[in-house]
Amino acid sequence: MLENLKDFVKPGSEEESLVKQLDFSRLPRHVAVIMDGNGRWAKKRKLPRVEGHRAGAKSVRQAVETCAHLGIEYLTLYAFSKENWKRPKKEVATLWRLLEEYLKNEDKVLVKNKFRLKVIGQIEAIPDSTRKELKRVEELTKNNTRLTVVLALNYGGRDEIVDAVKKIATDKNLDIDSLNEEKFSQYLYTIHVPDPDLLIRTSGELRVSNFLLWQIAYAEIWITQEFWPDFRKKHLLQALVDYQKRERRFGDIYPR
Ligand code: IPE
Ligand code: IPE
Ligand code: MG
């Protein structure tokens, strides 16, 4: 149970009743989120798409804080897919700039709260100044153990698998006959990160959009109609309560 429930949720609120439904011994270790719907959120308000991305930063902050409060160990956020380069140049440039600003503003919060930042994706292609900032904050937080925030940037699930195969092909220490699922996963970007237990997608799309294809094999999927900038603590708690009602069988006939 949470130590200071009152600091976390308002007494009598919907959040409080959701927290009370949670079984803290069965929380997911790893929650992964496809943060979608920023553009539509902005369009609904007759604002430029980038305003949706800007507004989404608040939801990121709240999701990180909520996971940390609850004791969830890993939170992966899909922030830029490899396919997102297809978008207008200006939107792409703004996305990287917003991320850079976020890192410059939040680094102290990450350090103070003992959060660790880890980036997955093909980082070489990320604009220099943003990449430097990412490296700096990763280095700054690398020994933290409370919550690991994994940012998927210039990430593609198929690319990740192809990259793993390339590493395997050139690994002289590997006996190829000994390769199995467990060993294969050591060549993925997510080495040392357990597979997600819960995958959340906002804005109602029913697809995985090339996200963690290998790792979500047995993740529970939870979709909300809310656009990402409207995603609040309440929604994350709803997802967790729902997750705990599911029976995870992993192919067996009994829950595990
Ligand atoms: C998610 O919101 C953010 C990124 C993909 C970077 P979108 O920008 O995809 O918003 P919609 O889906 O167009 O509404
Ligand atoms: C997925 O959202 C990528 C991120 C959230 C970063 P998209 O908006 O790019 O996905 P599609 O185009 O709807 O599949
Ligand atoms: Mg989208």
Side-chain angles (χ1 to χ4, degrees):
M1 195 60 208
L2 282 175
E3 279 165 35
N4 28 24
L5 186 62
K6 275 203 245 63
D7 296 341
F8 179 58
V9 283
K10 273 202 209 95
S13 63
E14 190 184 341
E15 283 92 340
E16 188 194 47
S17 95
L18 288 162
V19 172
K20 285 185 173 159
Q21 290 173 56
L22 285 178
D23 172 353
F24 279 78
S25 69
R26 289 176 48 247
L27 282 174
R29 265 190 93 188
H30 182 177
V31 176
V33 188
I34 302 176
M35 309 186 289
D36 197 17
N38 295 354
R40 277 163 283 171
W41 181 93
K43 194 173 172 209
K44 212 173 85 183
R45 287 162 178 76
K46 300 198 168 38
L47 294 167
R49 289 179 57 84
V50 293
E51 290 309 315
H53 299 315
R54 202 185 302 278
K58 187 171 170 189
S59 306
V60 170
R61 223 166 275 134
Q62 220 177 78
V64 169
E65 276 167 20
T66 306
C67 285
H69 261 282
L70 295 171
I72 289 168
E73 291 172 70
Y74 296 88
L75 172 67
T76 297
L77 300 170
Y78 199 8
F80 194 92
S81 76
K82 203 179 167 209
E83 290 75 22
N84 288 147
W85 291 106
K86 292 176 193 158
R87 297 182 176 206
K89 266 201 180 117
K90 248 178 120 174
E91 177 173 344
V92 169
T94 307
L95 275 167
W96 293 122
R97 194 168 45 74
L98 286 173
L99 172 64
E100 218 175 299
E101 278 171 23
Y102 177 86
L103 292 166
K104 282 183 179 143
N105 293 331
E106 295 297 294
D107 59 350
K108 287 167 223 63
V109 179
L110 294 172
V111 172
K112 185 169 152 244
N113 291 296
K114 301 198 171 60
F115 299 156
R116 178 167 61 142
L117 182 81
K118 179 181 164 76
V119 180
I120 57 170
Q122 294 185 337
I123 51 167
E124 318 77 57
I126 295 175
D128 281 354
S129 58
T130 313
R131 198 179 61 244
K132 269 186 208 139
E133 225 7 65
L134 287 164
K135 286 268 160 221
R136 182 182 72 79
V137 180
E138 263 188 329
E139 187 60 29
L140 196 66
T141 61
K142 69 176 182 198
N143 295 322
N144 291 348
T145 50
R146 187 152 162 239
L147 167 72
T148 299
V149 179
V150 182
L151 275 188
L153 296 169
N154 192 23
Y155 175 88
R158 287 183 169 183
D159 257 342
E160 181 181 25
I161 294 169
V162 172
D163 284 347
V165 172
K166 285 183 186 165
K167 282 184 222 156
I168 288 167
T170 54
D171 186 347
K172 294 192 182 67
N173 298 317
L174 176 75
D175 164 19
I176 201 73
D177 290 328
S178 74
L179 191 64
N180 54 22
E181 287 181 20
E182 199 189 323
K183 272 199 188 162
F184 187 90
S185 64
Q186 304 295 303
Y187 292 88
L188 295 170
Y189 307 149
T190 48
I191 181 169
H192 306 313
V193 176
D195 289 345
D197 304 290
L198 173 62
L199 171 67
I200 296 174
R201 182 164 190 155
T202 58
S203 91
E205 305 300 353
L206 302 175
R207 53 179 173 259
V208 293
S209 301
N210 204 10
F211 187 43
L212 300 177
L213 297 180
W214 172 279
Q215 298 86 340
I216 60 172
Y218 268 104
E220 294 297 326
I221 301 176
W222 192 83
I223 312 268
T224 173
Q225 296 301 320
E226 299 292 337
F227 295 138
W228 177 250
D230 290 327
F231 190 84
R232 289 288 164 270
K233 187 189 287 177
K234 177 177 82 178
H235 306 111
L236 184 51
L237 292 170
Q238 282 168 352
L240 294 170
V241 168
D242 234 25
Y243 164 84
Q244 294 194 329
K245 289 185 185 146
R246 311 258 183 106
E247 203 170 74
R248 300 185 80 190
R249 288 190 291 269
F250 299 95
D252 202 340
I253 60 170
Y254 304 110
R256 296 213 160 212

